[in-house]
Amino acid sequence: MARKGSRSTGSLARVLGLVTGAAGLAGGLLLALILLGNLSGAIANPDAQSRGMTIGLVFAGIAGLIAGAAGYVFGGRIVARITDIGLAVSKIGRGSSEVKVRVGGDDEVTALGRAVQYLAGDLQAMMAQQEQASGALAVAMDPLVKQLRDRTMPQRLPAVAGYEVDGQLAPGSRGGLDYFDLVSVAGDTPTNVAYVVSAEGQGALAVVACKLARDEIHRALLQGALPRKALAHANKVCKNTLPQGVCAKASLLQIGPEGCKLYQAGMRTPLLICQRGEVLELNAEGIALGLDDGPVFEKSLRPQEIAMSAGTRLVLGNDALLRSAGLLDLLRTHSPRHTQMFMNVVLGGIEQDAGDGGLREDVLLLTVKKAGQE
């Protein structure tokens, strides 16, 4: 809501005050000169003429002050009304539609305020309709999406030598669309890759894109591809299969004996590094899967290497996890615990903070901890 009863003494009020004051002074001087010119022939005494000139100048000055003060006050009232409208427009620009504008009067400023108020009302109604439609779509698709996703969700992640790994998904009432898993990649130098794949947007195309990206990444890793090659393959398939502009997001964590390497394609959800009571955020560069034919995608992939000392824990998750209240405090407090206990306490704390209604969105938590103590 715009501030009620605001008054402005900004530049517009000052300018209006100066202009009206100058006009009043000039008018007073002109009137004084005309009167003195008409009376000078009737008054022969030079002293009387001088006093008349002084009195005329004083009255001209008073007229200028009165006119300037009136202009200043009047301008302040206009500016206050414009300021209220400006605050309302700023709130609308920040996404809020709950604004109130004072529309008393019958002038152009009032008409502008009334138009802004009508705009806010229309936006509020439109946002309510969109939220209702979006909620209905999510609820209608939720059983199908869960069924599609749960068929490929791992019941338990494979063990990784020298690390504690685990991943879980806490279901929400409106569901979500995120996949996770850990694949042991065979080859000359065996390695392990944990991944999170998420949808970009909502609707049937987002479901198809996310499932397609997950399946292609998983298949490429099983065939021995490292993260960069697996992402390049998935991107090519998505680009050739999906309609233009439809894409998916992915984070891949390559786990090595001494450290890890993070790859991200369009995913802006950071990797969280828990170490010595601190939680650091880390992002890698890369564009989403399915937006580019290949050269730009591969060139944009810039992984981040992470040195892993004993006790260092890495946390990957979806957007719902990062939005959870109190997440960082939970990570700082419980990161040193054994991973199974860590998962139970963190997810339990998030579900408890969600209140009686429970989680609205699925919360995905995937963690990798270097075995040993800090």
Side-chain angles (χ1 to χ4, degrees):
M1 181 182 295
R3 292 178 297 177
K4 189 175 182 179
S6 60
R7 291 292 180 268
S8 174
T9 57
S11 59
L12 180 59
R14 290 194 297 270
V15 169
L16 189 57
L18 290 174
V19 170
T20 54
L25 179 61
L29 287 174
L30 182 60
L31 180 61
L33 290 174
I34 292 173
L35 291 175
L36 289 174
N38 292 332
L39 296 175
S40 60
I43 302 174
N45 189 342
D47 293 335
Q49 292 180 0
S50 178
R51 285 195 301 270
M53 178 63 72
T54 302
I55 294 172
L57 293 175
V58 170
F59 277 110
I62 294 174
L65 289 175
I66 294 174
Y72 185 81
V73 172
F74 181 70
R77 291 178 179 177
I78 294 176
V79 170
R81 296 166 65 191
I82 295 176
T83 300
D84 285 344
I85 296 173
L87 290 172
V89 172
S90 297
K91 291 190 71 174
I92 292 174
R94 293 193 298 269
S96 175
S97 60
E98 298 181 358
V99 298
K100 298 292 183 182
V101 181
R102 292 175 294 166
V103 293
D106 189 20
D107 54 21
E108 289 78 1
V109 177
T110 299
L112 176 61
R114 189 176 292 111
V116 172
Q117 189 66 65
Y118 288 155
L119 173 63
D122 291 342
L123 287 175
Q124 189 172 17
M126 184 178 66
M127 291 172 65
Q129 291 175 358
Q130 288 182 345
E131 183 177 357
Q132 183 178 3
S134 176
L137 176 63
V139 172
M141 291 183 57
D142 185 57
L144 297 176
V145 172
K146 282 188 174 182
Q147 183 180 6
L148 180 69
R149 182 193 61 196
D150 292 347
R151 288 178 180 177
T152 59
M153 279 296 188
Q155 299 298 317
R156 186 173 182 177
L157 297 181
V160 178
Y163 289 90
E164 300 173 8
V165 297
D166 199 357
Q168 294 184 33
L169 188 143
S173 59
R174 292 181 59 177
L177 188 55
D178 304 282
Y179 292 86
F180 76 95
D181 207 339
L182 188 146
V183 179
S184 296
V185 180
D188 296 336
T189 305
T191 186
N192 296 274
V193 178
Y195 67 77
V196 174
V197 180
S198 299
E200 176 69 23
Q202 296 179 344
L205 287 177
V207 175
V208 173
C210 186
K211 181 66 165 57
L212 178 64
R214 178 268 167 196
D215 290 347
E216 295 302 325
I217 290 174
H218 195 89
R219 182 180 297 110
L221 292 174
L222 287 178
Q223 293 175 354
L226 292 178
R228 178 181 289 275
K229 188 175 181 180
L231 286 170
H233 166 74
N235 173 72
K236 184 176 181 180
V237 174
C238 289
K239 178 62 178 177
N240 294 334
T241 305
L242 300 172
Q244 185 175 1
V246 180
C247 60
K249 305 177 293 185
S251 288
L252 275 65
L253 184 66
Q254 184 176 347
I255 307 170
E258 301 299 329
C260 298
K261 187 179 291 187
L262 175 67
Y263 295 81
Q264 289 188 307
M267 188 78 80
R268 291 295 171 259
T269 304
L271 171 77
L272 302 178
I273 305 174
C274 309
Q275 190 176 40
R276 299 184 181 88
E278 295 183 345
V279 179
L280 305 177
E281 296 185 357
L282 181 67
N283 279 101
E285 296 183 25
I287 62 176
L289 300 162
L291 296 181
D292 175 73
D293 290 333
V296 175
F297 177 86
E298 295 183 33
K299 186 177 180 180
S300 69
L301 277 179
R302 297 179 181 178
Q304 292 279 3
E305 295 188 2
I306 309 158
M308 297 291 291
S309 58
T312 300
R313 180 183 297 280
L314 308 181
V315 173
L316 274 174
N318 59 356
D319 292 336
L321 174 71
L322 271 293
R323 289 196 300 266
S324 301
L327 172 66
L328 297 182
D329 289 336
L330 288 170
L331 296 183
R332 292 189 189 96
T333 303
H334 302 291
S335 176
R337 295 192 176 195
H338 186 272
T339 293
Q340 184 175 2
M341 180 63 69
F342 168 83
M343 297 289 289
N344 293 336
V345 172
V346 172
L347 288 176
I350 292 174
E351 291 176 346
Q352 184 177 1
D353 290 338
D356 296 335
L359 296 171
R360 295 191 64 193
E361 301 175 278
D362 292 349
V363 173
L364 188 156
L365 174 59
L366 177 63
T367 186
V368 175
K369 180 185 178 184
K370 182 72 171 177
Q373 299 296 324
E374 295 180 341

